[in-house]
Amino acid sequence: MIGNMKTFRNILATGRAIQSLKCNTQVINRKSHAVSYRSAPPPHSKATKIGAVVVGGTMWWWVIWHLWHEPDHITGEFDYPDAAKWTNIQLGIPRDV
């Protein structure tokens, strides 16, 4: 019971401290970006659209170039095993009875 009262008193003290801090704070509004709450955002500039296309095109060129010239990143470095050389036991096929 006494522990609960101490906890309650600490919560009240914390709340009072926060309220006293709120009195001395001010909001700084720098207007550094567009806020679009419940409205359409402003359209992007032509330079932003062109830059996005250039960066996206460069990314896809990089991916396709490396898939074409270094396919081992996807397929692996080792030769594909010849399945004809595997035994039935290795393949999990039971013996004929």
Side-chain angles (χ1 to χ4, degrees):
M1 177 80 172
I2 294 176
N4 291 341
M5 291 299 289
K6 287 182 180 180
T7 304
F8 184 68
R9 192 173 347 142
N10 288 340
I11 291 171
L12 283 179
T14 305
R16 285 190 205 117
I18 291 172
Q19 285 178 353
S20 67
L21 288 175
K22 286 183 181 178
C23 300
N24 300 329
T25 60
Q26 64 182 17
V27 177
I28 298 173
N29 190 1
R30 297 178 189 216
K31 297 183 182 180
S32 61
H33 63 281
V35 176
S36 57
Y37 178 71
R38 293 185 184 236
S39 63
H44 295 293
S45 67
K46 190 172 185 178
T48 302
K49 291 178 184 178
I50 291 172
V53 169
V54 168
V55 169
T58 303
M59 186 268 312
W60 279 113
W61 169 81
W62 179 266
V63 169
I64 292 171
W65 175 270
H66 282 77
L67 285 176
W68 183 261
H69 290 280
E70 299 176 16
D72 292 341
H73 289 171
I74 302 296
T75 59
E77 301 176 7
F78 307 104
D79 294 332
Y80 195 76
D82 184 14
K85 295 180 180 177
W86 293 345
T87 63
N88 287 345
I89 296 172
Q90 290 174 329
L91 294 174
I93 301 172
R95 293 183 182 167
D96 293 333
V97 178

